[in-house]
Amino acid sequence: MIAEESIWHLTQGSYLVASALFIFSLRWLSRPETARRGVLAGVLGMTLAVLGTFLNPHVKHFEWIAIAVVVGTIIGVPLSRVALTAVPQRTALSHAFGGLAAGLVGTAKYVLWLESDELTTFRMFAIAVEVILGFVTLTGSLMAAGKLQEVIPTRPITYRNQNVINLFLLAIAVGSGIWLVVDPTQWQLFPLIIGLSLLFGVLLIIPIGGADMPTVISLLNSYAGLAAVAMGFVLENNVLIIAGALDGSSGFILSVIMCRAMNRSFTNVLFGAFGQVQAAAVAGEQKAVKSGSAQDAADLLEASNQVVVVPGYGMAVAQAQHRVRELRDQLSKRGISVKFAIHPVAGRMPGHMNVLLAEAEIPYDELAEMDDINPDFAQTDVVLVIGANDVVNPAARHDKTSPIYGMPILDVDKAKSVIAIKRSMSPGFAGIDNELYTADNTMMVFGDAKAVIGDVVKALSGGSGIH
Amino acid sequence: MQQLDFWTMAFVFMLATFIGFDVIRSVSRLLHTPLMSLTNAISAIAVVGAVLIAGEQKTTFSTVLGTIAVAASVTNIVSGFMITDRMLRMFKKREPSK
């Protein structure tokens, strides 16, 4: 058994190095300069861990593994080439695959150990956790991906006693899990747990509206990681526990950041109040809106020294980011300073807007976070709001009756003038009017963001020909 | 073959979670989307468990489940690392002006 002993050490060694590489991978991701090295470290870590596993004497047959690797690659490569606006859906889909893998491995292990009579209490406990987490993540993520892709309604779907029913179902699943831990031979409970977990995943996500997607995706990210941790406990494997814990803590931190950015408590997110349908505020006296043309906007911009652009998801949907980049170039050419103010929940997942702007080759040192740029608005000549709504609504600061009261916002109303590009006066996700649009220093330019900004650029470049 | 005991694993989990919190907190907001796709790829380490089941071929049932799990994990590994790299290539510093 000397050979088997030394193979065990070799495998553990590969897992140890792989774990270190994963930690380095995330460490290097902290700065754009070293980030790509982080990907390389991750790939190396994964390769080492898989090679180490191949050495395991129990792994005797490779034909099915090879086929699965080919299938996974065939699905994976196109999934990595999606449009950057679709990255949130792709990410949610990946969480689903992660949950599926965990759930299936847990199920297989249960059946194998039940047959060979190796189900200890601890193993059964770990399997129950793995299977519940895995299958909840599977359907929950599929629902999230469906909402993001808009194949299922993005609005919250609610019904009476929603929380009570959901928690009841979860309680049955957990209760059955505990029963199985006490008596693992009650195998008929196992499919029940799987079914309830799948159902619970669906019910957990349907009451959640589009605006909360950044939090949901982060939360599902955390669940997928914890499912991998549970698999690590089932298989007594440290590299699974470490990699899963890194993913789990990452998702957790991102959810907390997203919650803070929307002024929601974490329990609020976990238990339903989140995504609640907010009654649209009854429009009082309709204040007059000043609207202008693209030419007016161009004139205003040309006369300024400092411009801040506030991009919202409306910009991304209109695919206007490339036009925005042309606008930025035109303004910079005139010596006008341009900055981009990014609200933490702009986009459909954490950091989504940064990626969309990076795609349009806008240098990342021109992107500013909310806390850094808020003090600057008072000195800003023109703020250009493109398809952003709730994150610039001053009501969040002073209107205690507003559903978004207390949410940190970009203080664009403090700038000398504001240009807001929007298709119509329709309210955003929170379903409330935005008093920014009726403010005295605001000019609305109605129209598709891509077309409007294209016209502004044209007006600006037309003028520059004469100078 | 040696086994790990519960307490060892619990300690490993706790320490890894703390390291995770620490490392993730220092990631700039700029890179949160690539961060999520990278951690996504890393959590596809579940492929290790899937390979053990699929390669053992104890029963047809377990082999089928293991094979699907390998395919799902490999999908995440391939697409996760590739899309992270694709996004990171876009993050460029300000080009030397003029």
Side-chain angles (χ1 to χ4, degrees):
Chain A
M1 281 296 105
I2 303 282
E4 196 171 310
E5 181 87 18
S6 47
I7 286 174
W8 154 265
H9 288 299
L10 208 57
T11 305
Q12 292 301 314
S14 79
Y15 289 169
L16 184 73
V17 178
S19 302
L21 282 168
F22 291 149
I23 294 168
F24 272 117
S25 174
L26 295 179
R27 169 119 281 163
W28 279 329
L29 195 73
S30 62
R31 289 185 305 129
E33 291 78 21
T34 53
R36 290 190 69 195
R37 211 191 302 164
V39 178
L40 191 66
V43 173
L44 273 178
M46 191 62 70
T47 314
L48 256 181
V50 171
L51 290 181
T53 308
F54 282 164
L55 291 178
N56 188 311
H58 292 291
V59 180
K60 288 176 287 225
H61 308 276
F62 290 91
E63 64 277 19
W64 287 107
I65 296 174
I67 292 170
V69 168
V70 172
V71 172
T73 310
I74 290 172
I75 309 172
V77 171
L79 261 186
S80 74
R81 303 220 170 118
V82 297
L84 291 177
T85 38
V87 165
Q89 293 89 301
R90 188 218 71 93
T91 307
L93 209 56
S94 292
H95 297 336
F97 284 133
L100 176 69
L104 292 182
V105 169
T107 308
K109 265 311 195 192
Y110 171 75
V111 174
L112 289 176
W113 276 334
L114 185 66
E115 282 168 357
S116 60
D117 207 22
E118 290 174 273
L119 265 179
T120 60
T121 308
F122 166 66
R123 283 177 167 177
M124 190 58 238
F125 170 72
I127 287 177
V129 174
E130 180 187 350
V131 168
I132 293 176
L133 266 175
F135 285 120
V136 167
T137 309
L138 167 63
T139 48
S141 304
L142 285 178
M143 295 302 289
K147 284 196 176 221
L148 286 162
Q149 188 67 36
E150 294 178 21
V151 289
I152 47 178
T154 52
R155 69 186 165 77
I157 300 166
T158 49
Y159 45 87
R160 270 162 54 92
N161 297 328
Q162 194 155 30
N163 280 334
V164 179
I165 294 171
N166 287 1
L167 286 176
F168 181 67
L169 285 174
L170 185 64
I172 300 180
V174 172
S176 310
I178 295 172
W179 194 343
L180 267 176
V181 171
V182 176
D183 181 6
T185 57
Q186 297 291 327
W187 62 267
Q188 65 282 3
L189 287 174
F190 204 85
L192 178 70
I193 292 178
I194 295 178
L196 286 172
S197 305
L198 290 171
L199 182 63
F200 182 72
V202 174
L203 296 179
L204 188 69
I205 303 302
I206 56 168
I208 294 165
D212 285 313
M213 276 303 151
T215 321
V216 173
I217 296 193
S218 310
L219 204 61
L220 290 166
N221 184 22
S222 193
Y223 288 174
L226 291 177
V229 171
M231 191 197 284
F233 276 87
V234 171
L235 301 172
E236 292 163 359
N237 187 318
N238 277 333
V239 73
L240 277 166
I241 295 175
I242 292 170
L246 294 175
D247 188 32
S249 43
S250 159
F252 180 77
I253 286 184
L254 293 181
S255 328
V256 170
I257 291 175
M258 292 298 110
C259 281
R260 272 196 210 134
M262 300 200 299
N263 193 38
R264 287 167 178 281
S265 74
F266 208 65
T267 39
N268 189 297
V269 168
L270 284 171
F271 299 103
F274 118 84
Q276 241 175 23
V277 211
Q278 275 131 351
V282 189
E285 6 82 73
Q286 206 68 33
K287 274 188 78 179
V289 172
K290 260 189 295 183
S291 75
S293 67
Q295 182 65 51
D296 298 334
D299 294 343
L300 201 55
L301 286 168
E302 204 170 14
S304 63
N305 294 313
Q306 262 210 332
V307 173
V308 174
V309 180
V310 178
Y313 194 67
M315 179 205 75
V317 180
Q319 289 285 327
Q321 62 265 41
H322 298 281
R323 290 282 142 68
V324 171
R325 146 88 187 191
E326 289 168 25
L327 178 66
R328 169 221 169 251
D329 291 348
Q330 283 290 338
L331 295 174
S332 309
K333 223 163 58 185
R334 289 169 161 74
I336 301 167
S337 112
V338 184
K339 282 261 177 201
F340 292 82
I342 316 279
H343 192 275
V345 293
R348 286 295 178 275
M349 69 184 286
H352 192 198
M353 196 55 66
N354 299 304
V355 173
L356 295 171
L357 293 175
E359 183 196 18
E361 294 185 21
I362 290 166
Y364 64 77
D365 45 13
E366 289 178 11
L367 313 183
E369 288 176 21
M370 177 170 66
D371 296 337
D372 297 331
I373 200 144
N374 263 346
D376 297 348
F377 279 115
Q379 288 89 257
T380 302
D381 298 314
V382 180
V383 176
L384 185 64
V385 179
I386 311 169
N389 200 339
D390 298 328
V391 299
V392 293
N393 191 344
R397 272 202 314 261
H398 60 77
D399 182 2
K400 290 202 168 106
T401 63
S402 170
I404 61 167
Y405 176 70
M407 174 174 140
I409 56 157
L410 290 162
D411 298 327
V412 305
D413 56 317
K414 294 187 174 154
K416 290 187 191 103
S417 52
V418 177
I419 303 172
I421 300 175
K422 217 169 141 24
R423 262 203 286 249
S424 68
M425 284 302 283
S426 67
F429 277 121
I432 48 173
D433 287 332
N434 190 340
E435 58 186 69
L436 177 74
Y437 298 150
T438 50
D440 292 332
N441 58 344
T442 301
M443 179 175 82
M444 303 292 301
V445 182
F446 292 107
D448 172 73
K450 193 176 179 177
V452 169
I453 296 172
D455 291 343
V456 175
V457 171
K458 231 178 280 165
L460 282 173
S461 55
S464 76
I466 308 161
H467 290 202
Chain B
M1 192 166 283
Q2 291 114 313
Q3 299 292 358
L4 304 173
D5 78 335
F6 167 75
W7 285 111
T8 312
M9 295 191 287
F11 278 109
V12 167
F13 175 52
M14 181 200 68
L15 292 174
T17 305
F18 275 107
I19 292 175
F21 280 157
D22 214 49
V23 175
I24 305 295
R25 243 189 244 123
S26 66
V27 175
S28 141
R29 282 213 176 147
L30 187 68
L31 297 178
H32 275 174
T33 294
L35 167 70
M36 203 183 282
S37 54
L38 184 68
T39 52
N40 207 234
I42 288 176
S43 75
I45 187 71
V47 72
V48 165
V51 162
L52 286 172
I53 303 277
E56 203 178 26
Q57 288 196 2
K58 270 261 177 72
T59 63
T60 313
F61 181 69
S62 72
T63 309
V64 169
L65 295 197
T67 304
I68 299 173
V70 173
S73 305
V74 170
T75 305
N76 278 358
I77 294 172
V78 171
S79 70
F81 283 126
M82 281 179 72
I83 201 165
T84 309
D85 195 53
R86 186 178 143 216
M87 288 190 278
L88 290 176
R89 260 179 298 166
M90 294 172 185
F91 283 94
K92 290 188 208 105
K93 257 200 136 85
R94 186 194 299 270
E95 62 271 50
S97 37
K98 271 147 253 168

